[in-house]
Amino acid sequence: MTGIAGSRATASETSILLLPSLDAERSYTITSAREGRPWTGIYPAYQKTLHAVLLHQADHGSYTAVVDCEDRSLDDVHGDVLDRLGLSPLADGSPR
């Protein structure tokens, strides 16, 4: 079994970080608004810390690309991701 698994070619991995905003406060505002209610307890601090950690990782090359999704349509973000992957959208809009 190891021989079979070992012989398979491994595709390279591309890591793309999608952020609601590059600004931690804006990112928090956008994501908490999606919930329809304010976050309470330790969760707001957790979200802001997580955002800082993700940006730190991005600054140190952990991601192939970072996409700022603020004020962009889903189609625009999707097109950006496809561009960063070197892919082109299909003319009929069908998924690959």
Side-chain angles (χ1 to χ4, degrees):
M1 191 64 130
T2 304
I4 294 170
S7 67
R8 295 180 71 183
T10 305
S12 63
E13 185 175 305
T14 302
S15 55
I16 299 178
L17 176 61
L18 304 176
L19 289 173
S21 174
L22 294 178
D23 177 75
E25 288 297 323
R26 287 284 310 134
S27 188
Y28 170 78
T29 300
I30 292 166
T31 54
S32 63
R34 290 181 191 157
E35 294 290 319
R37 62 179 175 76
W39 288 338
T40 59
I42 195 164
Y43 200 66
Y46 164 77
Q47 282 296 321
K48 292 172 187 175
T49 301
L50 175 61
H51 190 274
V53 168
L54 292 172
L55 285 181
H56 178 79
Q57 290 175 339
D59 288 343
H60 288 85
S62 296
Y63 302 97
T64 306
V66 177
V67 176
D68 180 1
C69 300
E70 187 171 10
D71 298 325
R72 298 175 68 195
S73 70
L74 291 175
D75 287 340
D76 186 35
V77 171
H78 184 252
D80 193 354
V81 169
L82 289 178
D83 287 345
R84 291 168 189 264
L85 293 172
L87 301 172
S88 60
L90 297 178
D92 67 0
S94 298
R96 294 188 175 272

